[in-house]
Amino acid sequence: MRLPLLQVRDLRIGFQSEDVVKGISFNLDLGEKLALVGESGSGKSVTALSFVKLLEGARVSGRVLWTAQDEDTLHPEATDAPHTQDLVKLTERQLINIRGQDIAFVFQEPMTALNPLMMVGDQIAEVLELKRGMTREEAWHEAIELLTLTGIPESVRRASAYPHQLSGGQRQRVMIAMALACRPRLLVADEPTTALDVSLRAQILDLLNDLQKRFGMAVLLITHDLNTVRRFADQVLVMEKGGVVESGAVEVVLTSPTHPYTQKLIDSQPPRHVVEADSHAPIVMQAKGLRVSYPIRRSGWKGWFKGDQFVAVQAASFGLRAGQTLGVIGESGSGKTTLALAALGLMPSEGELTVDGAAWQGNATRDLPLRRQVQVVFQDPFSSLSPRMNVQELVSEGLTLHAPHLDELGRLRRILVTLAAVGLTETEFPGLLQRYPHEFSGGQRQRLAIARALVIEPQVLVLDEPTSALDATTQLQVLQLLQKLQRERGLSYLLITHDVSVIRAMAHHVMVMQAGKVVEAGTFAQVLNNPQAPYTKILVGADA
């Protein structure tokens, strides 16, 4: 009988006195696609990282049996029995030949996983030189072939690019190319599509599916997105608080779940619970013919004498009313984040852009009153919150600048009231004000980021992908919080997202952007229920 490629038996993982994975077991066969699903903190990522001991300071027990397999050993007439090793018992030196060579990883955020100081071709070539013993020239040519294989256009030119010069989807393809460099038998894809828009998400999943079939490898997909699981995986394991609560074929588990937690994940689609739009509410932010461009160097000798321009936003117009949400949706590179930066006065723009009737001046002193009116909540709270500042310092920072009239007691009272408004209290989090960002979960950190923006009582919040880095149930909690704050405080939101479900839950009006242009705009019902532009139809269809 053929042994599975990977056999996990009673795997337990702990840090200090806390166990985060509590005796899980499963098999993974060569050529199989298995999804580990669960909320943030369920233990799915640390499970995969423990296979090759990438968890510093962790206690790992149980067995992780790896049976080296390829097409020859799987042949019915093969005479050599495959060799099985327990990865838990291997030393660091013994694992060197397994890491990257037999088991490879594709991580969630390629911008942090890739070296920003190296060209992407060099990063792939480095793996080939170290693991496959290729010469520099051989490795470079192979790197270009891998980039071509993963669907990156102009792969020769792109190989000489740095990570920041590529789009999000292209960076993720580079990560996949690097992982495939040694033809691994197991590819671990840890949230490979979470930060991507819907169309790019579909492209990356199709790419992984094609490559899995081509190379016959097993894929362990780690995700919190059930739509991704439905589209890609054969089998699924649902994890909650370090244990497996349900497992089986995808079509069975996701169609007829037996565990309440699985049902909770399936039912975590955010509901729409917003105050109906008042067409007579005052306009708090308005743009007419907004244009944002970047200087770029022209190719060839002409670039020595004259530069060129890349227009990121072209002739965008909108009006955001008090207590309403304008959802701006589009793919990566559509110009929606550039639009948000212009709205925040952080990027020079042409045309008309006003906040409560006043325009940005591009001067720190003169723009100070507008800064109090417009605040921002970014996509990733872990990178937007300073790890060196505690909660009190983070939330009070804005008060020091925008509310200097408050004394120490007044600032403390404002901080505690704001934290309570976002669901962070001393009762639930003892020593709350002295805690640091790393001591909170992803959803709690995003609540903290919202509190930091709210504490100075702005009129407008610019929400730049506020939930895309969160799992489904945490996303639901944050969206419900934003809905509640809008109802209670009359806040206006400029919501930047690639997620149609977030638009459905939050937006009163919708603006669709493609390649820097507004291709469709209107009320929530007009745009999502009866899209007119072909591009809008693609976006809405991809979310169905």
Side-chain angles (χ1 to χ4, degrees), residues 122-158:
D122 285 334
Q123 297 188 54
I124 300 171
E126 184 179 48
V127 176
L128 294 163
E129 291 177 60
L130 291 173
K131 294 290 186 179
R132 292 174 59 182
M134 289 186 175
T135 65
R136 171 65 185 167
E137 185 177 356
E138 290 171 338
W140 181 258
H141 287 299
E142 179 70 10
I144 292 172
E145 288 185 19
L146 285 165
L147 290 175
T148 303
L149 181 68
T150 54
I152 292 183
E154 301 179 87
S155 56
V156 175
R157 183 170 69 87
R158 295 297 187 185

Side-chain angles (χ1 to χ4, degrees), residues 100-101 103-111 113-114 120 123-125 127-128 132 142-152 166-194 196 200-215 217-221 228 232:
Q101 197 156 317
I103 303 176
F105 286 76
V106 177
F107 294 105
Q108 174 178 354
E109 181 43 70
M111 198 61 185
L114 293 170
V120 296
Q123 297 188 54
I124 300 171
V127 176
L128 294 163
R132 292 174 59 182
E142 179 70 10
I144 292 172
E145 288 185 19
L146 285 165
L147 290 175
T148 303
L149 181 68
T150 54
I152 292 183
L166 302 178
S167 69
Q170 289 171 341
R171 285 194 292 266
Q172 196 61 286
R173 290 171 188 269
V174 170
M175 287 292 298
I176 294 170
M178 192 180 303
L180 293 177
C182 296
R183 303 291 191 265
R185 309 315 295 152
L186 170 60
L187 181 67
V188 179
D190 190 355
E191 301 281 10
T193 62
T194 299
L196 303 177
L200 280 178
R201 197 176 299 173
Q203 292 173 24
I204 294 297
L205 289 177
D206 288 344
L207 172 63
L208 286 173
N209 195 47
D210 291 343
L211 294 172
Q212 183 267 336
K213 290 177 181 177
R214 179 178 300 197
F215 296 117
M217 59 189 174
V219 177
L220 180 63
L221 174 69
T228 298
F232 182 80

Side-chain angles (χ1 to χ4, degrees), residues 494-506:
L494 180 63
L495 174 63
I496 310 298
T497 184
H498 62 249
D499 193 334
V500 175
S501 65
V502 173
I503 292 287
R504 291 188 189 279
M506 294 287 296

Side-chain angles (χ1 to χ4, degrees), residues 37 223-231 236 254 262 265-268:
V37 179
T223 184
H224 61 250
D225 186 349
L226 295 182
N227 287 330
T228 298
V229 175
R230 289 189 184 95
R231 186 183 182 110
V236 60
L254 298 189
T262 310
L265 292 178
I266 293 172
D267 294 340
S268 59

Side-chain angles (χ1 to χ4, degrees), residues 16 18 23 28 34 50 109 177 183 208 253 287 293 325 366 370 388 459 486:
Q16 297 178 353
E18 182 181 3
L28 179 58
L34 172 67
S50 72
E109 181 43 70
R183 303 291 191 265
L208 286 173
V253 172
S293 60
T325 299
R366 284 181 288 178
L370 291 190
R388 298 177 181 273
Q459 281 187 307
Q486 186 174 58

Side-chain angles (χ1 to χ4, degrees), residues 54-108:
L54 291 178
L55 297 171
E56 187 175 353
R59 292 180 286 101
V60 181
S61 63
R63 306 177 75 193
V64 179
L65 302 177
W66 174 258
T67 304
Q69 296 177 355
D70 54 32
E71 286 77 1
D72 293 335
T73 61
L74 295 179
H75 195 277
E77 299 177 0
T79 56
D80 295 331
H83 176 56
T84 299
Q85 304 175 83
D86 186 352
L87 300 181
V88 173
K89 295 180 180 179
L90 297 186
T91 64
E92 283 286 318
R93 187 175 185 84
Q94 290 171 319
L95 282 169
I96 288 175
N97 291 331
I98 292 178
R99 289 176 181 159
Q101 197 156 317
D102 291 325
I103 303 176
F105 286 76
V106 177
F107 294 105
Q108 174 178 354

